[in-house]
Amino acid sequence: VNVSGSNSAIQVINGDTKDISGVFNITAGNYSSDISSCLGSTVECNKHGDTYLVGNFKAQIGDVKYLSLHDAFKEAVTGDVVKILKDEVGLSYEPSVTNKDIVLDLNGKSIKYRNVLVGASGKLTIKDTSEGKTGVLDANTSNYAVHVKAGGKLVLESGKITNTYNNSNVGNVAVRVYGDDKTGIQSTFDITGGVIETKGTPVFVWCKGATVN
């Protein structure tokens, strides 16, 4: 259904805040006002700037929730903490951190992406604030779960990084730190806590300038 117009296309009033999940099946979209009272239990409504977004949110920065880690990383700025809300499998996405310094709180959840990239002038600190410290960052379809290159910096404080990709042609690298044999640009992986666990290579270091501490 395509609706256009200068005024509200659909107005929903649920003054008694009764359960009307059987009347409407709203699962996504952007809205001009909070429609939480019109939603079922599988999705929620969250304010994004001047609009409200409906969806099944997987990550959060402050009071703003995101549909995926990929989206949260894109919107994050230096100093932000991206908190994982639910387990997620990100198919072929490659969430990236460049030109910013942010924290990823696994929050006891399991996330699986193609890989996470930490690139030029980017710093990513991974930690897990959950009581059991059971959060996991896993690779979905890649030889490495985290790729640190072009001067990026990764810090592991707590939580687990692994690579369970089931492909006999890959080395199941957890973290790949890639330097530059011409410029010697510094790409760094600092390990202060947490777990690196894989059936393949835990940390692969390549070229001048790549450092693991």
Side-chain angles (χ1 to χ4, degrees), residues 126-140:
I126 297 177
K127 65 180 182 179
D128 186 350
T129 61
S130 70
E131 183 176 354
K133 309 292 188 214
T134 54
V136 179
L137 170 61
D138 194 358
N140 188 25

Side-chain angles (χ1 to χ4, degrees), residues 21-41:
S21 56
V23 179
F24 292 94
N25 185 26
I26 302 173
T27 58
N30 288 282
Y31 301 86
S32 60
S33 60
D34 190 343
I35 63 166
S36 296
S37 62
C38 304
L39 302 177
S41 59

Side-chain angles (χ1 to χ4, degrees), residues 75-208:
E75 297 297 322
V77 298
T78 292
D80 279 345
V81 176
V82 179
K83 183 177 182 179
I84 300 300
L85 301 175
K86 298 177 181 178
D87 295 346
E88 181 183 16
V89 176
L91 300 178
S92 61
Y93 285 123
E94 183 185 66
S96 61
V97 178
T98 58
N99 300 306
K100 63 183 76 174
D101 179 351
I102 63 175
V103 174
L104 172 62
D105 179 4
L106 294 173
N107 190 33
K109 305 300 188 292
S110 175
I111 54 175
K112 183 179 288 190
Y113 276 87
R114 180 177 181 270
N115 63 265
V116 170
L117 170 67
V118 185
S121 300
K123 179 182 176 182
L124 176 65
T125 300
I126 297 177
K127 65 180 182 179
D128 186 350
T129 61
S130 70
E131 183 176 354
K133 309 292 188 214
T134 54
V136 179
L137 170 61
D138 194 358
N140 188 25
T141 57
S142 178
N143 187 37
Y144 36 83
V146 183
H147 189 190
V148 187
K149 69 174 187 178
K153 182 173 183 177
L154 174 69
V155 180
L156 177 63
E157 293 185 355
S158 54
K160 180 191 292 187
I161 302 175
T162 188
N163 187 337
T164 60
Y165 181 34
N166 189 20
N167 187 324
S168 60
N169 294 319
V170 303
N172 289 99
V173 176
V175 178
R176 180 185 184 186
V177 186
Y178 192 82
D180 188 321
D181 56 1
K182 295 181 180 179
T183 65
I185 190 169
Q186 296 294 315
S187 299
T188 308
F189 177 29
D190 290 343
I191 307 170
T192 62
V195 176
I196 299 174
E197 182 179 278
T198 177
K199 61 183 179 181
T201 304
V203 181
F204 182 81
V205 182
W206 181 258
C207 285
K208 180 180 178 181

